[in-house]
């Protein structure tokens, strides 16, 4: 498999620092890095971004995530590997990624459960991580970036 082109953020150099800065900002809201890694992986799975699933899985393993937790993230509702705060973050990630799947994209119950575990900074961090991951996914999936080619 070959990519259709280089990642657009590499083609237009001013784009990469902006995206990287937004991603870095998402990591300053007090949400555990392990939770943000799960969110990144789940959003990337939903979007079918092989490059981001691969990179996210590898990065999460390097940061100490258990392989069982990473391997089961697509079925997080049916496993006991995640605590209530992680479950709330994953539910928010799924709803915010699948905006067109329902009339109320992020139902009040999903929002209420998330704010039960995260303050405004934490919610901002989660929303920024979800949004940034969706940007990465769209850049990579549209141009068919190859899993494993980023490092």
């Amino acid at each position: 498999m070959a990519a259709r082109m280089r990642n657009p953020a590499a083609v237009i150099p001013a784009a990469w620092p902006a995206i990287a800065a937004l991603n870095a900002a998402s990591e300053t809201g007090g949400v555990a890095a392990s939770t943000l890694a799960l969110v990144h992986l789940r959003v990337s799975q939903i979007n079918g971004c092989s490059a981001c699933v691969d990179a996210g899985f590898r990065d999460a393993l390097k940061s100490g995530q258990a392989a069982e937790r990473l391997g089961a993230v697509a079925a997080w509702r049916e496993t006991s590997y995640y605590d209530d705060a992680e479950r709330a973050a994953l539910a928010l990630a799924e709803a915010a990624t699948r905006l067109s799947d329902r009339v109320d994209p992020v139902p009040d119950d999903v929002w209420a459960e998330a704010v039960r575990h995260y303050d405004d900074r934490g919610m901002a961090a989660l929303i920024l991580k979800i949004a940034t991951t969706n940007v990465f996914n769209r850049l990579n999936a549209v141009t068919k970036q190859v899993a494993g080619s980023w490092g």
Side-chain angles (χ1 to χ4, degrees):
M1 174 185 253
R4 289 178 168 159
M5 63 179 282
R6 289 187 316 149
N7 185 293
V11 174
I12 299 178
W16 186 253
I19 297 167
L22 185 59
N23 189 54
S26 75
E27 297 170 356
T28 66
V31 176
S34 59
T35 300
L36 294 175
L38 293 173
V39 164
H40 173 82
L41 183 57
R42 184 65 190 122
V43 169
S44 298
Q45 289 172 336
I46 291 167
N47 288 324
C49 179
S50 64
C52 287
V53 168
D54 181 66
F57 185 85
R58 291 171 190 267
D59 289 345
L61 277 177
K62 287 178 192 172
S63 72
Q65 282 274 8
E68 294 83 5
R69 286 170 44 91
L70 298 175
V73 76
W76 63 269
R77 286 179 179 85
E78 290 81 29
T79 68
S80 60
Y81 295 137
Y82 314 100
D83 64 29
D84 289 344
E86 291 167 330
R87 290 175 180 283
L90 289 165
L92 180 64
E94 287 186 358
T97 298
R98 294 180 164 143
L99 293 176
S100 66
D101 286 358
R102 58 179 76 87
V103 175
D104 184 8
V106 179
D108 290 340
D109 62 326
V110 170
W111 183 264
E113 184 62 13
V115 298
R116 194 168 77 79
H117 298 281
Y118 302 99
D119 61 12
D120 281 352
R121 286 185 56 82
M123 289 296 289
L126 286 169
I127 294 165
L128 288 170
K129 178 57 83 176
I130 294 162
T132 306
T133 299
N134 274 286
V135 169
F136 283 129
N137 293 167
R138 277 145 180 80
L139 294 173
N140 289 330
V142 168
T143 59
K144 294 190 175 187
Q145 297 301 306
V146 178
S149 65
W150 284 78

